[in-house]
Amino acid sequence: MALEIVRVPVLSDNYVWLVHEPMSGETMVVDPAVAPPVLEKAEELGWKISQIWNTHWHPDHTGGNAEIKEVTGCTITGPAAEAERIPTLDVQVKGGDAVRLGEVTAHVIHVPAHTAGHIAFHFADEKAAFVGDTLFAMGCGRLFEGTAEQMFNNMRALEALGDETDIYCAHEYTLSNGRFALTVEPDNTALAQRMEEVVVLRDRGEPTVPTTIALEKATNPFMRARSVAELAARRAAKDAA
Ligand SMILES: [Zn+2]
């Protein structure tokens, strides 16, 4: 693929993603919760940060914006609908827009529900999507500013990106999500097998993301919900767990 993608684990369970486009030499950061570990990792790799892309306004996705911009002079792109809550934004985008990183282009997908203006970035040619807090490994984001119907539609929009698409989410929630998923579908063998692998990885302190659309279609109870009502019931049960 024409992108090099490096994970920077920060705070208790956030993943910030450094995305390098080698033809142009541009480097972009997705959802920097904080600045110092991101700046350090970029320096270690010899990558010069030229852009930040935000998926939504939550502080654990935007908290590093100002400091990274101050140090690097980068341009910050994020959801127009949340511009008031992300005062560091330079470029406002909405669903259907295209955003460039050097020689490659991502398309913006509007995925409201976790927040009202939440967006995802999809690199179609590179088969990679940065989904923030919308889709997680075996989970989905909480419905803070939207409805189960919106999240159900988001699952359809992300599913449509294709099985091979790598999904870069913003948190390591996989173990807890998987335990909940097993209560929903105790007889799902793909899920049981995935959980065995996840337990081993987490025991070793290793990450379980990115995931893929194919894996989520097979094991994610929110992507697998057959109706809005079913997704809503599962979300409520997970919130109460
Ligand atoms: Zn969030």
Side-chain angles (χ1 to χ4, degrees):
M1 113 148 94
L3 293 174
E4 295 169 41
I5 302 172
V6 168
R7 170 195 307 99
V8 186
V10 301
L11 306 181
S12 59
D13 52 36
N14 279 76
Y15 290 134
V16 177
W17 300 99
L18 275 170
V19 183
H20 183 67
E21 196 286 284
M23 289 176 281
S24 65
E26 272 211 62
T27 300
M28 177 271 285
V29 186
V30 184
D31 285 354
V34 291
V38 177
L39 291 166
E40 275 165 37
K41 185 51 124 179
E43 180 155 342
E44 179 190 317
L45 293 162
W47 293 355
K48 204 170 163 299
I49 295 169
S50 54
Q51 298 192 50
I52 291 171
W53 293 1
N54 292 139
T55 62
H56 66 295
W57 67 269
H58 283 165
D60 65 323
H61 296 254
T62 56
N65 278 10
E67 190 178 339
I68 293 173
K69 184 174 177 173
E70 195 181 306
V71 172
T72 65
C74 69
T75 301
I76 306 180
T77 298
E82 298 185 355
E84 277 181 24
R85 305 184 88 164
I86 315 177
T88 44
L89 276 195
D90 300 303
V91 180
Q92 301 181 17
V93 294
K94 57 185 190 323
D97 286 349
V99 198
R100 289 195 70 83
L101 175 66
E103 302 294 315
V104 304
T105 301
H107 287 93
V108 177
I109 309 170
H110 186 213
V111 282
H114 179 70
T115 64
H118 200 304
I119 55 175
F121 299 97
H122 177 226
F123 291 95
D125 291 342
E126 292 73 23
K127 295 185 166 56
F130 293 85
V131 298
D133 289 355
T134 295
L135 175 63
F136 296 115
M138 296 183 276
C140 76
R142 295 180 71 151
L143 309 177
F144 289 123
E145 299 177 7
T147 64
E149 182 173 14
Q150 287 175 322
M151 189 56 89
F152 184 82
N153 292 336
N154 293 343
M155 295 297 113
R156 305 291 77 78
L158 294 174
E159 204 170 56
L161 302 182
D163 283 0
E164 320 276 272
T165 306
D166 288 322
I167 298 297
Y168 294 83
C169 54
H171 290 274
E172 178 62 62
Y173 289 160
T174 312
L175 199 54
S176 134
N177 285 342
R179 286 190 183 123
F180 172 76
L182 278 172
T183 68
V184 176
E185 290 193 287
D187 299 326
N188 180 334
T189 51
L191 172 58
Q193 188 192 331
R194 185 179 189 187
M195 268 305 272
E196 280 180 28
E197 294 163 11
V198 162
V199 167
V200 170
L201 285 169
R202 294 310 294 151
D203 277 350
R204 294 192 202 130
E206 287 177 24
T208 62
V209 298
T211 176
T212 64
I213 290 296
L215 251 183
E216 296 317 308
K217 279 164 69 179
T219 62
N220 186 314
F222 301 97
M223 188 163 265
R224 291 167 65 75
R226 285 154 300 184
S227 65
V228 172
E230 192 167 60
L231 186 147
R234 291 176 180 183
R235 189 61 260 177
K238 175 71 168 75
D239 290 346

